[in-house]
Amino acid sequence: MKNLTLIRHAKSSWKIGVKDFDRDLLNIGIEKALKCANKIHKEIDLNAVIWSSPALRAYKTAQIFTDCWNLNPERIHLMDDLYTFELTQFEEIVKSCPNNINTLILFGHNSAITDFVNKFGTIFIDNVPTSGLVSINFETDDWKKIEKGHTIKTLFPRTI
C-alpha cells in the first residue's frame, strides 16, 4: 500500500513586480496553513518523505506544516520539477518515487494538484483550495503502477 498526501501551498501575494516563483505567503495564508497543519497533526505518518516545490510559497508552506508536526525542516526535499501546474509532469514525479517509500507528502501548485486528485482519487473536488490537503491510498507496492486510489482524507481551511 502506498499513501500520497497532497498539500497546496498557502494563500500567496500577487504583488506586482514579483516573479511567480518568488511570491511570498500572505498573513491570512500563514494562519490557514497553521490551522490545517495543527488539525491533521495526529494523523500524519511522521516517517513520511516530504517533497516540495522550490517556489517560495510552497516551500514556506512545507516549513509551516513540518514545524507544526515537530519535524526537522531539513526533511523537506526540494524538487525543481514540482514547480509545475501540469498534471502529466506531476504524475511523472509521483510515479518516480522510490518503492521503499510508502508514505509521500507533496507540497505543490494548482491546477496539477486538483487534476491529480480528480484522476486518481475517489472524490471529485472542484478546486483544492490554498492550504488544502487531500490524502489518497493506493493498493500497490509500486509507485509506477498507481491507478485509481481511494481518497481517505480531505481537509480544507473553510471546513475547520
mmCIF file of all heavy atoms in Angstrom, residues 7 27 30 37 47 64 67 88 119 134-135 143:
data_model
loop_
_atom_site.group_PDB
_atom_site.id
_atom_site.type_symbol
_atom_site.label_atom_id
_atom_site.label_comp_id
_atom_site.label_asym_id
_atom_site.label_seq_id
_atom_site.Cartn_x
_atom_site.Cartn_y
_atom_site.Cartn_z
ATOM 1 N N ILE A 7 -0.616 18.638 -0.643
ATOM 2 C CA ILE A 7 -0.962 19.878 0.039
ATOM 3 C C ILE A 7 -0.648 21.038 -0.899
ATOM 4 O O ILE A 7 0.489 21.192 -1.363
ATOM 5 C CB ILE A 7 -0.186 20.027 1.367
ATOM 6 C CG1 ILE A 7 -0.481 18.824 2.272
ATOM 7 C CG2 ILE A 7 -0.556 21.347 2.054
ATOM 8 C CD1 ILE A 7 0.383 18.739 3.508
ATOM 9 N N ASN A 27 -0.358 36.882 5.258
ATOM 10 C CA ASN A 27 -0.618 36.531 6.662
ATOM 11 C C ASN A 27 -1.814 35.602 6.796
ATOM 12 O O ASN A 27 -1.780 34.652 7.589
ATOM 13 C CB ASN A 27 -0.804 37.791 7.508
ATOM 14 C CG ASN A 27 0.502 38.508 7.747
ATOM 15 O OD1 ASN A 27 1.573 37.913 7.675
ATOM 16 N ND2 ASN A 27 0.429 39.793 8.034
ATOM 17 N N ILE A 30 -0.738 32.137 5.994
ATOM 18 C CA ILE A 30 0.017 31.533 7.093
ATOM 19 C C ILE A 30 -0.949 31.034 8.168
ATOM 20 O O ILE A 30 -0.821 29.913 8.667
ATOM 21 C CB ILE A 30 1.029 32.542 7.671
ATOM 22 C CG1 ILE A 30 2.108 32.851 6.623
ATOM 23 C CG2 ILE A 30 1.642 32.021 8.965
ATOM 24 C CD1 ILE A 30 3.001 34.023 6.962
ATOM 25 N N ALA A 37 -2.437 22.431 9.443
ATOM 26 C CA ALA A 37 -1.326 21.625 9.952
ATOM 27 C C ALA A 37 -1.622 21.124 11.356
ATOM 28 O O ALA A 37 -1.369 19.955 11.677
ATOM 29 C CB ALA A 37 -0.036 22.435 9.928
ATOM 30 N N ASN A 47 7.022 9.288 9.651
ATOM 31 C CA ASN A 47 8.122 8.715 8.868
ATOM 32 C C ASN A 47 7.988 9.036 7.379
ATOM 33 O O ASN A 47 8.793 8.575 6.577
ATOM 34 C CB ASN A 47 8.176 7.197 9.063
ATOM 35 C CG ASN A 47 8.515 6.844 10.487
ATOM 36 O OD1 ASN A 47 9.456 7.382 11.058
ATOM 37 N ND2 ASN A 47 7.738 5.954 11.080
ATOM 38 N N ILE A 64 5.884 25.497 7.425
ATOM 39 C CA ILE A 64 4.826 25.695 8.428
ATOM 40 C C ILE A 64 4.296 24.342 8.896
ATOM 41 O O ILE A 64 4.169 24.090 10.094
ATOM 42 C CB ILE A 64 3.680 26.569 7.861
ATOM 43 C CG1 ILE A 64 4.164 28.010 7.685
ATOM 44 C CG2 ILE A 64 2.441 26.499 8.761
ATOM 45 C CD1 ILE A 64 3.219 28.882 6.857
ATOM 46 N N ASP A 67 6.941 22.295 10.851
ATOM 47 C CA ASP A 67 7.146 22.894 12.170
ATOM 48 C C ASP A 67 6.011 22.490 13.116
ATOM 49 O O ASP A 67 6.254 22.097 14.257
ATOM 50 C CB ASP A 67 7.242 24.417 12.057
ATOM 51 C CG ASP A 67 7.592 25.073 13.381
ATOM 52 O OD1 ASP A 67 8.596 24.660 13.996
ATOM 53 O OD2 ASP A 67 6.855 25.985 13.808
ATOM 54 N N THR A 88 0.406 15.988 -16.198
ATOM 55 C CA THR A 88 1.311 14.969 -16.733
ATOM 56 C C THR A 88 2.652 14.996 -16.011
ATOM 57 O O THR A 88 3.156 13.952 -15.586
ATOM 58 C CB THR A 88 1.515 15.179 -18.247
ATOM 59 O OG1 THR A 88 0.237 15.186 -18.874
ATOM 60 C CG2 THR A 88 2.371 14.089 -18.843
ATOM 61 N N LYS A 119 -8.182 12.656 -10.973
ATOM 62 C CA LYS A 119 -7.849 11.491 -11.799
ATOM 63 C C LYS A 119 -7.636 10.244 -10.939
ATOM 64 O O LYS A 119 -8.091 9.159 -11.297
ATOM 65 C CB LYS A 119 -6.587 11.765 -12.628
ATOM 66 C CG LYS A 119 -6.173 10.587 -13.486
ATOM 67 C CD LYS A 119 -4.995 10.899 -14.379
ATOM 68 C CE LYS A 119 -4.624 9.669 -15.219
ATOM 69 N NZ LYS A 119 -3.499 9.972 -16.127
ATOM 70 N N VAL A 134 -5.285 16.705 0.529
ATOM 71 C CA VAL A 134 -6.001 15.514 0.084
ATOM 72 C C VAL A 134 -5.053 14.328 0.211
ATOM 73 O O VAL A 134 -3.912 14.391 -0.246
ATOM 74 C CB VAL A 134 -6.492 15.634 -1.377
ATOM 75 C CG1 VAL A 134 -7.190 14.356 -1.821
ATOM 76 C CG2 VAL A 134 -7.401 16.842 -1.551
ATOM 77 N N SER A 135 -5.536 13.255 0.835
ATOM 78 C CA SER A 135 -4.725 12.056 1.022
ATOM 79 C C SER A 135 -5.384 10.883 0.305
ATOM 80 O O SER A 135 -6.589 10.666 0.445
ATOM 81 C CB SER A 135 -4.582 11.768 2.523
ATOM 82 O OG SER A 135 -3.673 10.722 2.746
ATOM 83 N N TRP A 143 5.030 2.474 -6.993
ATOM 84 C CA TRP A 143 4.548 3.820 -7.358
ATOM 85 C C TRP A 143 4.305 3.945 -8.860
ATOM 86 O O TRP A 143 3.392 4.647 -9.280
ATOM 87 C CB TRP A 143 5.544 4.885 -6.903
ATOM 88 C CG TRP A 143 5.532 5.144 -5.431
ATOM 89 C CD1 TRP A 143 6.434 4.694 -4.511
ATOM 90 C CD2 TRP A 143 4.577 5.918 -4.693
ATOM 91 N NE1 TRP A 143 6.092 5.134 -3.253
ATOM 92 C CE2 TRP A 143 4.959 5.895 -3.338
ATOM 93 C CE3 TRP A 143 3.430 6.628 -5.052
ATOM 94 C CZ2 TRP A 143 4.250 6.547 -2.334
ATOM 95 C CZ3 TRP A 143 2.716 7.280 -4.057
ATOM 96 C CH2 TRP A 143 3.110 7.239 -2.718
#
